[in-house]
Amino acid sequence: MNRIRVLPLYPDMSLTGTPFLCTLAVLSVLALGLPLVLWTRVRGPRAVRAVTRVLMLLFAQLTAVALVFTLVNNANQLYDDWGDLLGTADHVEHAADLGADGTGGVSLERLPRVRQAFKPAGGPGMRAAGGVRVTKLEGRVSGVRGEVYVWLPPQYDDPAWRDHRFPVVELLPGYPGSAKAWFGTLDAHEQLLPLMRSGRIAPFILVAPRTNLLPGADTGCANLPGKVNADSWLSVDVPRMVMDNFRAQSAPRGWAVAGYSAGGHCATRLAVAHPDRYRAAVSLSGYNDPAAERTSLTGRDPALRAAHNPLTLLREAVTPPKISLYLSGQQDDGYEDALALGRAAKAPTSVQVVKLPKSAGGHTMALWKPQVVPAFRWLTEELAGHRTATDRTATDRTASHRTDVTPPGPSNAGATRAAPASGSASPAAAARTR
């Protein structure tokens, strides 16, 4: 007996899908036209006519609001799907107590290699610059399941580089935020591709894991037994998957984490807490106190706030971590927190602080997008040990006085670096601020 397969009218009615956006646009036009055409044609008692006209106005307003929200969401990549928006998604299978190191006693070296299936990622910007791929990862240690997006540099498939292992940068969005935002809104891969090809920036593997794991709450990228093991997801499971499937450098050499807003807080905390997993971190308009994000699970309890505050961790570290931090922000939006980290840091920790002018914009993607290239120029030297094409034409310099590789971005003109006493904690970092 033949089976008839019925295809849906719209194959993709996802929150960020084009069919949904087009449907809203059509409904908005119809909703606007209905009152114009039917206002005087409504029949029935006065009460019925009044209710009908009110409903037409409400329909027009609701469709307009929905269309604007969808456009804003697509532009800023705030919510990935309906589950994220409605608070019905849950990406935590279990959340056992994994101990201080976040491994639960599992010997990571003995875990068998797992090959992941990747497919081209959909959505705005995801097909550009060679394309972003995505996989569904089941975290073997964390108990988290979610998408991980990966972009490979142009040299990755070049035969001349077939024996090369590449440095990796994990990219974290703010909250709420989609893992696709670094590609779909900040256009990180599109900005970096020509610079990697020309040798001005080292070829990095870019990895963007899901960070929105619980409905209606920011995990603070922390391990909270019984709730979520976000730290282990980001610092154990995701790196292990990348090293199992790609020619990536081993940790901590060649590994960094970068984020903006809540993701910047996470990036700094992960690097400070795990210098054995990350060598560098970039924070764009990040903060130290988890309570700065009102939905943060780590900001609701005094003990958790202190335990997940990177400033507290840095001050109380028995041995200063061997990491480098790049922290940018505006006055009253990340800059003061960055200076505090710089003052607390002791060698071999190094901190570079960049002050962004108020004229650069507010706490938005427009502020962070121009910072992508400067941050990766800094990562090129700090993480990859890679001298840019411009540096190679100049006279060799000593390791303690390298070329400053963090000029302000084009729309952040006026950005300045903090004085060494407040923004740097090592001679090498101090030299870079001059």
Side-chain angles (χ1 to χ4, degrees):
M1 182 177 181
N2 293 331
R3 293 184 178 180
I4 299 176
R5 183 183 178 188
V6 179
L7 296 178
L9 179 61
Y10 294 120
D12 178 17
M13 290 300 285
S14 63
L15 178 62
T16 58
T18 301
F20 178 68
L21 179 62
C22 292
T23 300
L24 277 180
V26 171
L27 289 176
S28 297
V29 173
L30 290 176
L32 183 62
L34 281 176
L36 297 176
V37 175
L38 302 178
W39 193 266
T40 59
R41 299 182 182 182
V42 178
R43 297 291 181 262
R46 179 179 296 179
V48 172
R49 284 180 287 161
V51 170
T52 302
R53 288 166 178 164
V54 169
L55 290 176
M56 285 193 292
L57 293 177
L58 288 176
F59 180 53
Q61 291 179 332
L62 288 174
T63 53
V65 169
L67 178 60
V68 171
F69 169 81
T70 302
L71 290 170
V72 171
N73 182 66
N74 289 355
N76 294 277
Q77 301 285 320
L78 300 175
Y79 297 98
D80 227 1
D81 51 40
W82 293 108
D84 289 340
L85 175 63
L86 301 176
T88 58
D90 188 347
H91 296 269
V92 179
E93 186 174 348
H94 55 81
D97 188 343
L98 300 178
D101 68 349
T103 65
V106 175
S107 177
L108 302 181
E109 294 77 13
R110 295 184 179 180
L111 285 176
R113 174 179 291 190
V114 174
R115 288 293 186 182
Q116 290 289 127
F118 286 84
K119 65 179 182 180
M126 304 301 278
R127 302 295 174 88
V132 179
R133 61 193 71 190
V134 62
T135 188
K136 294 283 189 179
L137 178 62
E138 298 280 344
R140 289 183 285 175
V141 174
S142 67
V144 170
R145 54 182 181 272
E147 317 90 68
V148 181
Y149 297 87
V150 177
W151 180 81
L152 300 176
Q155 292 88 343
Y156 192 86
D157 293 322
D158 186 336
W161 293 69
R162 63 180 178 272
D163 296 323
H164 184 79
R165 292 193 171 272
F166 294 83
V168 182
V169 182
E170 278 189 72
L171 305 173
L172 310 179
Y175 180 85
S178 164
K180 298 190 288 187
W182 276 87
F183 304 112
T185 305
L186 298 185
D187 301 331
H189 57 326
E190 294 186 69
Q191 293 191 63
L192 297 174
L193 177 65
L195 300 174
M196 290 183 183
R197 280 178 172 164
S198 64
R200 285 176 285 174
I201 284 180
F204 291 96
I205 296 175
L206 306 184
V207 179
R210 168 178 278 275
T211 58
N212 196 5
L213 303 177
L214 293 175
D218 171 30
T219 67
C221 302
N223 277 3
L224 302 173
K227 293 184 178 180
V228 63
N229 285 320
D231 185 319
S232 295
W233 162 251
L234 296 171
S235 69
V236 177
D237 285 329
V238 172
R240 179 63 194 230
M241 182 276 292
V242 173
M243 287 185 280
D244 279 353
N245 289 269
F246 302 98
R247 298 196 312 276
Q249 292 185 11
S250 58
R253 184 179 67 88
W255 275 79
V257 56
Y260 59 85
S261 190
H265 162 75
C266 285
T268 304
R269 193 196 68 79
L270 287 172
V272 172
H274 303 297
D276 58 328
R277 299 172 191 174
Y278 301 101
R279 183 54 49 85
V282 171
S283 174
L284 310 178
S285 303
Y287 49 84
N288 293 330
D289 186 351
E293 168 52 57
R294 63 180 183 82
T295 63
S296 173
L297 296 177
T298 57
R300 301 175 182 176
D301 176 83
L304 289 177
R305 285 178 64 180
H308 295 90
N309 186 323
L311 179 59
T312 302
L313 295 176
L314 204 56
R315 285 173 173 169
E316 297 180 354
V318 177
T319 302
K322 186 179 180 181
I323 56 172
S324 298
L325 304 177
Y326 177 98
L327 313 169
S328 71
Q330 295 175 309
Q331 187 173 350
D332 301 322
D333 186 21
Y335 178 61
E336 291 79 7
D337 284 9
L339 290 180
L341 286 167
R343 288 190 291 265
K346 300 177 182 179
T349 305
S350 69
V351 178
Q352 178 156 314
V353 178
V354 176
K355 183 178 183 181
L356 301 173
K358 288 293 185 181
S359 59
H363 197 83
T364 65
M365 295 292 193
L367 176 70
W368 303 316
K369 184 174 180 177
Q371 296 183 66
V372 171
V373 169
F376 272 81
R377 284 179 178 153
W378 177 85
L379 282 170
T380 292
E381 287 210 348
E382 291 291 340
L383 186 65
H386 176 88
R387 300 178 67 196
T388 65
T390 302
D391 292 335
R392 289 195 295 270
T393 63
T395 303
D396 285 344
R397 298 168 175 84
T398 62
S400 63
H401 191 79
R402 290 176 292 181
T403 300
D404 194 331
V405 294
T406 55
S411 67
N412 286 341
T416 57
R417 286 149 202 84
S422 61
S424 302
S426 71
R432 288 193 297 277
T433 63
R434 288 198 286 268

